């Protein structure tokens, strides 16, 4: 299958390895990945902070860039949720944007949805000999409804021991600009999430969203916990022959 | 004079103090998690019925709000037909004046109150005090707040921020001034505390001839008012006095008695995690020889009509004050209710308060941002209020206003960079080149990040730079 990658602005700029892992994983599974050059950002930061007009402009750009794709993979639960749940609110009813979104949004998938629902695989042939805890990010959990898909994918990884994370469904406290506008509350939430992660006994905390991981990972790093964070794509892309990219 | 929310700083600042208060954090965490777990268990046992009840509740409320003028007039005539009197109050001042006049007409200077958010909203106790009338709170938690000269911090459990040893101290210090003193040697055993409150209140109930209540629901076709509670103190207030004055927000209406069926299932499960609440009291006008012989209903607008005019924001008026959103909110759990600077705290307060008051102050402008948009509040709401949607909607109003210049500049900058892939690529090149110059501690607003979290390392090349090489077979 020919799959268009929407890398997201945060991944593109700060976490390019996530995109490389997605490419490596999908190519290994025999699919073609294309990267439409005109893409930039889904507009989530603008939308969530109350800047609707720039968010709408970015939505128009996204739709224009990806409207011909058979499937769009987004290695970020919150950006996928922005496109599927919030784009329909950005155009007025019957507007050109809402018509286009209605056509495109059902073909936009988080990585774990694409693998399980569209490509029909749970065992992607990965090897990752570490203790791993999974943090179900809020948008992945509640807006996309990823359910057990990430867990099924992780359980099928050879060598991986999946450990339970206490308070898993609680928000890590990132919330985009919330992390700076309400820094104290955000930090307190992040500290609790980090504590649960450490107490889980995991070596690696993974999620479907680098933004949440940047917040939790930054907290873990400041605490010198020794626990690292990884996007789920990194784990699924790793094999016995080719370990994780660094 | 009771305490007031006036003067509480905007949320981020008020929250900072709360986050630093370890005793408060402990009390809140324990209490919210206990109720949260109980709610989860009793909601889960209803299985798919829950989603049906949830959408029916939302539909009944939405329908009523859409035809509110009709149902209000119907309620007025059915209450009067049953022997009650109806008064209309456009705002807090009008409502307070009406209630004060009604109490004065009874010749009493003491009134008992069953917990009512509406009278908290209009600060009725202060208005009565100015007229020389003392209002005695009878809900246990509300009594604690009143004795402690404190402010409520939760819709259902106004004293949730206090531990039992703090409550014991308040009882020992204050009860004597308000009536029957606390027994000597009072311990912080919950049963001993409840017994002290019971003895204190019993004397008050038997002596007071005028009562003020709120209502959870007002049934339009029969004129019946409904209060749900756990302690029975409300029932004492509603039945023993001679005059009963109920102050009720105009959004509390349901069309028919049959509509209560849905809410009698969803409200107790959502609020206290019980299948049904211990006391449900209903009253319709007056009945000779039974209960209060004079009944007044004060219907309160106080901004609600304005909220109704906002097509996105109006869903906040569906709220049945269950407080499930507070108990599940990770932000509320760490800040408590006082930080919201209003009688309605938590996620529902963050959308209801700025709409009722109008977003003209820093406190109200900060409220729509007092959320990480995690969506847990929407998930538990028994009338399916999409709180995150309203939060974002209200943020748009704030962002359209004159303030937040630094943020606006930042958003403008981001818009320019993200407006074309070339601009983004150029910015990424620049960031990659300057990657070793990023300081460990950032100045200004971004400092909120680096105070407690490390920044990620800026990579040498962006994904799109790597992709271009990958496509050319160089990777």
């Amino acid at each position: 299958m020919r799959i268009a990658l929407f890398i997201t602005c945060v991944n593109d700029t700060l976490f390019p390895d996530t995109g490389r892992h997605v490419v490596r994983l999908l190519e290994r599974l025999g699919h073609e990945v294309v990267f439409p050059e005109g893409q930039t950002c889904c507009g989530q930061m603008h939308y969530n902070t109350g800047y609707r007009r720039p968010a709408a402009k970015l939505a128009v750009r996204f739709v224009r860039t990806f409207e011909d794709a058979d499937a769009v993979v987004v290695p970020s639960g919150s950006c996928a949720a922005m496109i599927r749940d919030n784009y329909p609110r950005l155009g007025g009813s019957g507007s050109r944007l809402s018509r286009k979104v209605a056509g495109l949004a059902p073909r936009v998938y988080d990585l774990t949805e694409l693998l399980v629902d569209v490509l029909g695989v749970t065992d992607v042939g990965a090897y990752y000999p570490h203790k791993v805890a999974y943090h179900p990010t809020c948008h992945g959990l509640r807006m996309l409804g990823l359910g057990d898909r990430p867990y099924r994918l992780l359980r099928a990884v050879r060598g991986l021991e999946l450990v339970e994370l206490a308070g898993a469904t609680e928000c890590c406290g990132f919330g985009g600009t919330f992390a700076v506008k309400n820094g104290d509350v955000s930090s307190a939430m992040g500290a609790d999430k980090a504590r649960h992660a450490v107490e889980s006994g995991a070596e690696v905390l993974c999620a479907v969203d680098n933004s949440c991981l940047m917040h939790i990972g930054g907290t873990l790093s400041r605490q010198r916990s020794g626990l690292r964070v990884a996007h789920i794509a990194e784990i699924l892309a790793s094999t016995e022959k080719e370990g994780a990219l660094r | 004079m009771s305490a007031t929310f006036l003067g509480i700083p905007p949320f981020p600042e008020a929250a900072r103090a709360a986050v630093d208060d370890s005793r408060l954090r402990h009390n809140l965490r324990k209490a919210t998690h206990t109720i949260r777990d109980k709610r989860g268990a009793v909601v889960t046992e209803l299985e798919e019925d829950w989603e049906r009840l949830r959408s029916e509740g939302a539909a009944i409320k939405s329908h009523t709000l859409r035809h509110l003028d009709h149902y209000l007039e119907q309620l007025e005539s059915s209450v009067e037909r049953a022997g009650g009197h109806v008064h209309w109050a456009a705002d807090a001042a009008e409502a307070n004046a009406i209630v004060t006049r009604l109490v004065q007409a009874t010749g009493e200077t003491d009134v008992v109150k069953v917990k009512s958010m509406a009278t908290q909203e209009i600060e009725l106790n202060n208005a009565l005090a100015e007229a020389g009338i003392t209002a005695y709170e009878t809900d246990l938690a509300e009594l604690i707040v009143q004795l402690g000269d404190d402010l409520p911090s939760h819709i259902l459990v106004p004293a949730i921020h206090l531990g039992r040893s703090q409550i014991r101290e308040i009882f020992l210090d204050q009860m004597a001034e308000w009536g029957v003193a606390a027994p000597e040697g009072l311990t912080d055993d919950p049963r001993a505390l409840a017994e002290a409150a019971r003895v204190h209140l019993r004397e008050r109930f038997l002596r007071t001839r005028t009562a003020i209540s709120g209502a959870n629901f007002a049934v339009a076709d029969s004129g019946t008012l409904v209060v749900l509670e756990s302690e029975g103190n409300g029932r004492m207030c509603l039945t023993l006095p001679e005059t009963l004055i109920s102050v009720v927000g105009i959004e509390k209406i349901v069309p028919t008695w049959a509509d209560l069926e849905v809410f009698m299932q969803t409200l107790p499960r959502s609020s206290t995690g019980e299948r049904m609440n211990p006391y449900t009291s209903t009253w319709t006008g007056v009945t000779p020889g039974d209960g209060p012989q004079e009944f007044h209903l004060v219907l309160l607008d106080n901004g609600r009509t304005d909220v109704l005019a906002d097509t996105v924001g109006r869903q906040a008026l569906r709220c049945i004050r269950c407080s499930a959103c507070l108990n599940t909110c990770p932000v509320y759990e760490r800040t408590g209710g006082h930080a919201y600077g209003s009688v309605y705290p938590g996620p529902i307060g963050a959308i209801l308060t700025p709409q009722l008051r109008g977003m003209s102050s820093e406190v109200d402008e900060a409220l729509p941002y007092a959320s990480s948009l995690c969506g847990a509040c929407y998930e538990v709401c028994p009338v399916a209020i999409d709180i995150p949607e309203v939060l974002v909607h209200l943020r748009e109003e704030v962002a359209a206003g004159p303030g937040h210049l630094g943020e606006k500049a930042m958003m403008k900058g981001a818009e320019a960079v993200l407006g074309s892939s070339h601009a983004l690529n150029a910015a990424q090149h620049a960031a990659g080149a300057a990657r070793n110059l990023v300081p460990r501690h950032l100045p200004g607003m971004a400092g909120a990040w680096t105070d407690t979290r490390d920044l990620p390392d800026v990579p040498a090349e962006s994904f799109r730079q790597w992709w271009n090489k990958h496509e050319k077979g160089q990777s």
Side-chain angles (χ1 to χ4, degrees):
Chain A
M1 183 171 188
R2 192 179 150 94
I3 301 156
L5 171 63
F6 175 54
I7 187 61
T8 85
C9 60
V10 168
N11 285 338
D12 186 6
T13 309
L14 291 175
F15 305 100
D17 285 351
T18 295
R20 294 168 66 190
H21 291 126
V22 172
V23 173
R24 188 162 81 159
L25 169 64
L26 293 177
E27 287 181 349
R28 185 175 83 219
L29 294 173
H31 303 283
E32 185 193 352
V33 179
V34 294
F35 181 77
E37 294 274 350
Q39 63 176 285
T40 59
C41 164
C42 69
Q44 186 186 179
M45 178 185 73
H46 283 104
Y47 178 81
N48 281 354
T49 315
Y51 294 79
R52 188 190 182 92
R53 197 188 48 81
K57 275 167 74 176
L58 289 166
V60 169
R61 163 181 287 278
F62 177 88
V63 169
R64 201 172 51 221
T65 309
F66 287 96
E67 62 188 336
D68 296 328
D70 299 327
V72 183
V73 64
V74 186
S76 157
S78 64
C79 299
M82 172 69 196
I83 296 157
R84 290 221 303 248
D85 283 24
N86 294 332
Y87 276 13
R89 303 178 210 248
L90 280 173
S93 66
S95 69
R96 191 177 146 82
L97 176 61
S98 28
R99 281 200 314 276
K100 296 262 186 188
V101 167
L104 175 58
R107 284 177 280 131
V108 174
Y109 305 96
D110 159 75
L111 175 65
T112 65
E113 289 175 318
L114 179 83
L115 291 168
V116 175
D117 300 354
V118 183
L119 306 181
V121 284
T122 47
D123 184 348
V124 296
Y127 173 75
Y128 196 79
H130 299 286
K131 273 190 178 179
V132 174
Y134 175 71
H135 165 60
T137 63
C138 298
H139 292 174
L141 183 72
R142 301 194 182 89
M143 287 173 86
L144 296 180
L146 295 182
D148 67 351
R149 293 178 187 87
Y151 295 98
R152 284 164 61 196
L153 289 161
L154 289 170
R155 281 197 201 99
V157 174
R158 267 172 290 286
L160 185 150
E161 186 189 339
L162 191 61
V163 299
E164 203 176 319
L165 179 69
T169 57
E170 283 173 39
C171 178
C172 71
F174 174 59
T177 47
F178 175 77
V180 289
K181 275 178 171 285
N182 280 286
D184 295 275
V185 188
S186 169
S187 294
M189 290 161 72
D192 285 345
K193 183 59 77 179
R195 181 170 49 80
H196 287 311
V198 170
E199 285 170 1
S200 74
E203 299 158 63
V204 177
L205 178 76
C206 87
V208 297
D209 217 311
N210 277 118
S211 308
C212 311
L213 289 175
M214 175 172 71
H215 166 68
I216 306 168
T219 306
L220 287 165
S221 159
R222 181 62 60 91
Q223 296 173 350
R224 302 184 199 285
S225 69
L227 176 62
R228 66 180 287 266
V229 295
H231 193 282
I232 196 168
E234 173 184 326
I235 294 174
L236 300 178
S238 301
T239 61
E240 226 149 338
K241 270 197 226 147
E242 288 184 294
L245 293 166
R246 289 294 160 85
Chain B
M1 187 69 73
S2 310
T4 160
F5 282 104
L6 276 176
I8 285 185
F11 190 82
E13 201 181 319
R16 188 174 308 134
V19 166
D20 287 341
D21 183 342
S22 59
R23 179 155 77 165
L24 175 71
R25 289 268 299 277
H26 172 80
N27 291 346
L28 285 167
R29 182 174 174 79
K30 210 173 148 197
T32 54
H33 280 257
T34 304
I35 313 176
R36 196 189 293 185
D37 293 347
K38 278 177 75 182
R39 177 208 161 270
V42 295
V43 163
T44 309
E45 71 186 16
L46 283 186
E47 294 172 5
E48 64 269 22
D49 270 355
W50 183 256
E51 279 313 309
R52 180 182 57 80
L53 287 167
R54 188 172 182 247
S55 53
E56 279 179 16
I60 292 167
K61 280 286 187 176
S62 295
H63 166 86
T64 314
L65 290 168
R66 210 159 41 237
H67 305 282
L68 194 59
D69 51 346
H70 164 75
Y71 288 115
L72 279 168
E73 285 181 9
Q74 193 185 6
L75 178 70
E76 180 182 39
S77 54
S78 46
V79 167
E80 287 183 345
R81 202 163 49 239
H85 307 279
V86 176
H87 311 263
W88 300 88
D91 55 24
E94 252 183 59
N96 286 332
I98 293 166
V99 177
T100 305
R101 182 168 49 75
L102 291 171
V103 175
Q104 281 169 337
T106 67
E108 301 290 327
T109 54
D110 288 353
V111 296
V112 284
K113 279 182 69 198
V114 47
K115 189 185 149 218
S116 147
M117 299 301 296
T119 59
Q120 288 280 5
E121 178 188 323
I122 60 176
E123 300 196 342
L124 175 66
N125 292 8
N126 290 342
L128 291 174
E130 276 172 32
I133 299 160
T134 310
Y136 293 89
E137 296 292 347
T138 68
D139 173 88
L140 176 55
E142 204 72 38
L143 170 71
I144 295 165
V145 167
Q146 184 174 43
L147 292 175
D149 193 25
D150 203 345
L151 288 162
S153 69
H154 189 277
I155 290 174
L156 201 81
V157 198
I160 195 168
H161 55 291
L162 298 172
R164 59 194 200 190
S165 65
Q166 292 165 287
I167 294 168
R168 173 183 167 272
E169 283 164 34
I170 291 168
F171 278 12
L172 284 171
D173 289 349
Q174 296 297 323
M175 265 186 172
E177 293 211 14
W178 288 79
V180 177
E184 273 182 51
L186 177 67
T187 68
D188 66 1
D189 173 38
R191 286 169 68 163
L193 295 172
E195 184 59 20
R198 187 186 169 88
V199 171
H200 177 84
L201 287 170
R202 180 57 57 105
E203 188 260 352
R204 179 70 54 203
F205 285 132
L206 294 173
R207 200 149 52 88
T208 311
R209 292 142 63 93
T210 301
I212 296 172
S213 87
N216 292 93
F217 303 99
V219 183
D221 71 347
S222 62
T224 308
L225 297 187
V226 186
V227 160
L228 279 68
E229 42 127 8
S230 298
E231 297 161 6
N233 294 336
R235 177 161 298 179
M236 302 283 266
C237 280
L238 298 164
T239 51
L240 287 174
E242 287 168 16
T243 303
L244 173 59
I245 303 162
S246 301
V247 183
V248 180
I250 54 173
E251 82 284 17
K252 290 292 171 105
I253 297 193
V254 294
T256 70
W257 180 264
D259 295 321
L260 292 174
E261 179 244 1
V262 172
F263 303 110
M264 291 296 139
Q265 295 181 74
T266 52
L267 180 51
R269 280 187 157 86
S270 302
S271 57
T272 51
E274 293 168 302
R275 296 185 185 94
M276 70 184 281
N277 52 296
Y279 293 89
T280 301
S281 302
T282 70
W283 64 101
T284 312
V286 291
T287 307
D290 182 16
Q293 294 302 293
E294 193 163 341
F295 169 59
H296 296 273
L297 171 60
V298 181
L299 286 166
L300 177 71
D301 185 323
N302 205 30
R304 286 159 176 76
T305 311
D306 294 336
V307 182
L308 206 49
D310 185 318
T311 51
V312 178
R314 67 168 63 136
Q315 56 186 309
L317 294 179
R318 294 209 295 257
C319 177
I320 55 173
R321 311 283 189 264
C322 72
S323 69
C325 63
L326 280 67
N327 298 328
T328 202
C329 176
V331 175
Y332 177 88
E333 182 190 324
R334 283 156 185 96
T335 63
H338 292 162
Y340 293 80
S342 92
V343 63
Y344 304 106
I348 186 65
I351 60 168
L352 191 57
T353 300
Q355 291 198 87
L356 287 175
R357 294 201 292 220
M359 274 190 288
S360 53
S361 72
E362 273 186 74
V363 171
D364 289 312
E365 282 199 345
L367 285 175
Y369 294 95
S371 164
S372 65
L373 301 180
C374 82
C377 50
Y378 177 36
E379 189 177 55
V380 298
C381 178
V383 284
I385 301 169
D386 192 340
I387 294 176
E389 180 188 24
V390 183
L391 286 168
V392 169
H393 173 69
L394 297 175
R395 289 177 186 190
E396 285 167 12
E397 248 182 76
V398 177
H404 301 266
L405 295 178
E407 179 184 291
K408 278 179 183 155
M410 200 265 283
M411 290 292 169
K412 202 88 196 147
E415 191 184 340
V417 170
L418 300 169
S420 87
S421 52
H422 301 298
L424 178 57
N425 194 22
Q428 286 167 340
H429 270 286
R435 57 200 286 259
N436 295 322
L437 303 176
V438 178
R440 199 169 157 78
H441 292 279
L442 295 176
M445 244 178 93
W449 182 279
T450 51
D451 281 350
T452 58
R453 289 154 288 205
D454 286 341
L455 288 167
D457 294 329
V458 178
E461 63 178 5
S462 68
F463 175 79
R464 73 182 67 223
Q465 288 161 4
W466 172 81
W467 175 266
N468 286 334
K469 287 194 278 176
H470 173 76
E471 277 300 271
K472 290 177 193 140
Q474 293 167 2
S475 72

